[in-house]
Amino acid sequence: MKNKKTFGTDEILLILCKSVSKVLSDATASSIKYSPVVQRIGKTSLNPDIGCFVLFDGVFSGLVIMNFSAESAMELYRNYMLNMGMPESELAQRHTSDEVGDTLGELMNQAVGEFTAAMEHELMVSVTQSQPKMIAINREVALAINTNIENPQARKVAFQTQGHNSFYMEMAMEKIVFTQIEDFEPGERQDVDDILADAQNPANDTSSDNGNQDDLLDSLGI
């Protein structure tokens, strides 16, 4: 192999952006696009109207936050539920409804599953994650990964729904660079349809994770 390929923060972020866009587009039967440019930020925060966060661990430690406006949250929720066959008359009308938060949490869980599968496929590394936690908030709440991590890298990417509503993804992770030292065949790839089917299976109910989620919130100071 003449040239060694390297994979750092921005390459991992791109895999995550593609995963989020693919899952949300498929689940809502609509176009979800991400900006081709990324913003370097000094801190990561949950922002109104609905925020979601998930922690990663394994070959690297990181934190991913999704911040939805009320409009983007309702569009994603509505399109997903209609795509699933839910009558429009039964849809929630406010972004603060539990149904909206639960639906967005499910979608983010699917997106995270797609990301971890993509990481294993493309880089042959294993990444584990916490259960995504959705919070309806009316003020900014700063979140940070373990303060013992040196040189944390933080990024922000804008997404846009088909209805031209914006939402944002923020990622913070330890500084890490993967260097390919040998050619390899990509690992097995889990299809996104399988991820969607698993998420919709009642047997995969995550209600038993509530205690772990509370511990996670405590560790973040929420």
Side-chain angles (χ1 to χ4, degrees), residues 190-210:
Q190 184 176 7
D191 189 83
V192 67
D193 291 334
D194 294 334
I195 296 173
L196 293 174
D198 288 343
Q200 294 161 11
N201 187 343
N204 294 326
D205 183 16
T206 58
S207 60
S208 61
D209 293 331
N210 288 339

Side-chain angles (χ1 to χ4, degrees), residues 34-204:
Y34 57 88
S35 172
V37 297
V38 58
Q39 178 183 359
R40 297 193 178 195
I41 56 177
K43 65 176 182 178
T44 51
S45 303
L46 290 170
N47 290 301
D49 294 300
I50 295 183
C52 171
F53 67 90
V54 59
L55 293 176
F56 290 108
D57 202 359
V59 294
F60 64 86
S61 296
L63 166 69
V64 173
I65 295 173
M66 301 294 297
N67 288 314
F68 300 93
S69 65
E71 293 77 13
S72 63
M74 289 304 295
E75 181 182 347
L76 293 171
Y77 160 76
R78 182 178 183 278
N79 288 344
Y80 176 62
M81 298 308 289
L82 291 176
N83 191 41
M84 292 288 291
M86 174 74 75
E88 187 163 1
S89 60
E90 297 182 13
L91 297 180
Q93 301 301 312
R94 296 179 178 275
H95 73 276
T96 53
S97 299
D98 290 341
E99 293 89 339
V100 176
D102 291 344
T103 297
L104 291 178
E106 179 182 331
L107 290 174
M108 291 317 303
N109 196 39
Q110 295 170 19
V112 167
E114 169 70 12
F115 168 68
T116 56
M119 286 291 292
E120 187 166 352
H121 172 73
E122 296 185 30
L123 302 184
M124 297 185 69
V125 295
S126 178
V127 181
T128 59
Q129 77 286 328
S130 65
Q131 182 72 18
K133 182 68 176 178
M134 303 295 305
I135 305 176
I137 56 177
N138 56 15
R139 66 182 63 184
E140 179 179 319
V141 179
L143 293 183
I145 53 177
N146 192 328
T147 54
N148 292 326
I149 293 177
E150 296 183 1
N151 300 319
Q153 310 291 301
R155 304 287 190 271
K156 181 177 181 178
V157 180
F159 284 74
Q160 189 175 73
T161 67
Q162 188 166 302
H164 304 291
N165 290 309
S166 297
F167 60 97
Y168 301 90
M169 180 174 70
E170 298 182 8
M171 182 184 77
M173 62 177 291
E174 59 183 318
K175 185 175 182 180
I176 187 171
V177 176
F178 295 107
T179 302
Q180 183 178 344
I181 60 174
E182 187 175 278
D183 291 327
F184 63 89
E185 293 294 330
E188 293 185 6
R189 184 71 169 88
Q190 184 176 7
D191 189 83
V192 67
D193 291 334
D194 294 334
I195 296 173
L196 293 174
D198 288 343
Q200 294 161 11
N201 187 343
N204 294 326

